[in-house]
Amino acid sequence: MGGTDARSTCGLSDDGACDVVAPQVVAVVGPTASGKSALADELAVRLGGPVVSADAMQVYRRMDIGTAKTPVAERRAPLLCIDLAEPSETYSVACFMSQAHEAIDTALGAGRVPVVCGGTGLYVRAALEDMDFPSGEQLDNPVRARYEALAAELGPDAFHDLLAQRDPASAVLIHANNVRRVVRAFELLEQGTSYAVQHEGLHVRVDRHPTLMVGLEMDRAQLYERINVRVERMVETGLVDEVRGLVAEGLADSLTSRQAIGYREIIAYLAGECSLAQAVDDIQRASRRYAKRQLTWFRGDPRVRWIDASGYTCEQMADIVEQWMAVGISNHAGV
RNA sequence: GGCUGGAUAGCUCAGUUGGUAGAGCAGGGGACUGAAAAUCCCCGUGUCAGGGGUUCGACUCCCUUUCCAGCCA
């Protein structure tokens, strides 16, 4: 595990005031359309490192316009951890964690500062921390299918009651209607652990390397306006054709990638279920709600230092981040 | 100009024999450890268009003004 040496200099001061150290990794987080990618690229250019995407949908190849991957021609720094899987594949955070760690550690090994950039809270954590995932069969396992069938047969409440009998501690943490997570809890039981045990480590945040986390926030109305414009721009620049091509190769049957905002709505449009205008409307609304959830996630992370993105240009924000880097960050052993 | 409907939450509307109002959508807040752009939970006070009247009490009945639809001139 990589980060222990960096932290070993930090004596455990009882008042929590640890040493101030220079960050080795920068992370840019925030809601969709807040300008993360541009800032990350600018920072990466200045720092000489790569941008490491932490986005659950950008990992899929050929899903470019709808996931707002920075076009190749506009990338000034290398963009890593995108295009890792086929849209038909079932990908997962655990897969992402190892690939992101490798990308980050390679950059650090070359003396570079990687700039993690992403809107998927769980993926950002996976990139920055060592999360414990029980080993064993991961993807498309029959265990999951079995419990999904059982859930469908019993109904949410009885299914949840069953979990309460086998693993009461986990059952209290999960709402009965959240069938997906109840299924996951059963899976973990079969692997000899429990959702509740994993959950305990949830609020212990230990970075693998000293990391400066920067969050972009913005007036809500302004953010929503940016989202609306961006969605229209996506359609203008060929989102429908992109989705049409992916549907031809089976996107509509994929497990994960077809759930991506922008794709599921255009799939519906192409299937004749709604007008294009309606699809655009739906994408915009889904994006707004997603942005809200992203904000909820990142607001809960005490490591994040926020910048009002509506008040500065990309270059000015990069200046601020560089100043923060020069000052250094508290090398908490965990927040 | 006349007649008939409307005017209630940001939007579309409901409101039962008069007891000061509630749904959907939009929106807001939260959770989150192997599908996470997923999944799930919680949140409804608004001059009931303005004014007057009847009544113990009016969104609800009566009169009037304004505005909007449609019909007749």
Side-chain angles (χ1 to χ4, degrees):
Chain A
M1 299 297 109
T4 47
D5 52 341
R7 208 170 298 110
S8 60
T9 57
C10 176
L12 286 174
S13 314
D14 35 39
D15 60 354
C18 293
D19 308 329
V20 171
V21 299
Q24 295 172 12
V25 177
V26 177
V28 179
V29 303
T32 182
S34 60
K36 295 186 298 291
S37 297
L39 176 58
D41 189 61
E42 173 69 21
L43 282 169
V45 167
R46 295 190 188 192
L47 301 170
V51 174
V52 178
S53 167
D55 184 300
M57 292 300 155
Q58 289 190 353
V59 300
Y60 293 107
R61 297 182 198 110
R62 299 185 299 290
M63 292 174 66
D64 301 332
I65 298 172
T67 64
K69 282 177 203 162
T70 305
V72 178
E74 293 173 25
R75 292 176 205 164
R76 293 175 298 157
L79 181 55
L80 308 179
C81 285
I82 60 167
D83 302 336
L84 301 175
E86 283 298 303
S88 57
E89 285 180 59
T90 304
Y91 197 73
S92 78
V93 215
C95 304
F96 179 79
M97 184 168 79
S98 59
Q99 291 185 278
H101 287 184
E102 189 185 339
I104 289 168
D105 293 346
T106 298
L108 289 173
R112 310 288 187 174
V113 176
V115 181
V116 174
C117 172
T120 306
L122 187 61
Y123 278 47
V124 172
R125 283 197 72 171
L128 266 29
E129 304 169 35
D130 278 312
M131 301 177 79
D132 250 340
F133 299 116
S135 54
E137 293 306 306
Q138 311 111 353
L139 306 175
D140 298 324
N141 53 345
V143 178
R144 180 173 295 184
R146 184 151 52 81
Y147 281 110
E148 278 171 347
L150 185 61
E153 184 193 326
L154 296 177
D157 290 331
F159 187 53
H160 186 265
D161 287 345
L162 190 61
L163 178 66
Q165 288 169 28
R166 303 222 187 131
D167 182 0
S170 294
V172 300
L173 294 172
I174 308 171
H175 194 283
N177 289 348
N178 205 344
V179 176
R180 193 127 141 180
R181 214 155 270 159
V182 177
V183 168
R184 178 65 192 143
F186 276 114
E187 273 182 59
L188 289 168
L189 274 186
E190 299 245 341
Q191 292 170 15
T193 179
S194 126
Y195 181 88
V197 170
Q198 259 194 344
H199 190 269
E200 278 180 40
L202 229 173
H203 298 289
V204 180
R205 306 165 200 269
V206 182
D207 293 333
R208 297 174 68 239
H209 312 281
T211 300
L212 171 63
M213 285 186 82
V214 178
L216 300 187
E217 60 182 346
M218 190 179 291
D219 169 73
R220 197 59 66 92
Q222 189 180 346
L223 178 65
Y224 285 1
E225 182 54 29
R226 284 179 60 126
I227 287 173
N228 292 343
V229 169
R230 176 142 102 162
V231 170
E232 281 165 21
R233 182 67 64 73
M234 284 177 180
V235 173
E236 287 165 13
T237 53
L239 179 60
V240 174
D241 283 339
E242 178 172 291
V243 177
R244 190 178 282 124
L246 290 163
V247 167
E249 54 178 82
L251 178 71
D253 303 319
S254 71
L255 187 60
T256 307
S257 54
R258 66 162 164 167
Q259 297 177 335
I261 295 170
Y263 293 85
R264 58 187 191 215
E265 293 84 356
I266 298 296
I267 287 173
Y269 160 65
L270 291 174
E273 292 166 18
C274 67
S275 67
L276 181 58
Q278 184 60 53
V280 168
D281 246 38
D282 291 344
I283 296 170
Q284 290 170 330
R285 173 161 35 80
S287 300
R288 275 180 246 132
R289 290 175 167 175
Y290 175 48
K292 203 159 69 72
R293 271 177 275 134
Q294 290 175 301
L295 252 1
T296 297
W297 181 288
F298 293 120
R299 272 193 299 235
D301 192 329
R303 295 170 298 188
V304 177
R305 298 196 198 176
W306 294 94
I307 297 180
D308 179 3
S310 55
Y312 304 97
T313 64
C314 183
E315 288 72 23
Q316 287 172 326
M317 290 194 283
D319 291 342
I320 293 171
V321 175
E322 284 198 304
Q323 284 166 25
W324 285 348
M325 289 186 72
V327 172
I329 57 172
S330 301
N331 189 20
H332 293 268
V335 184

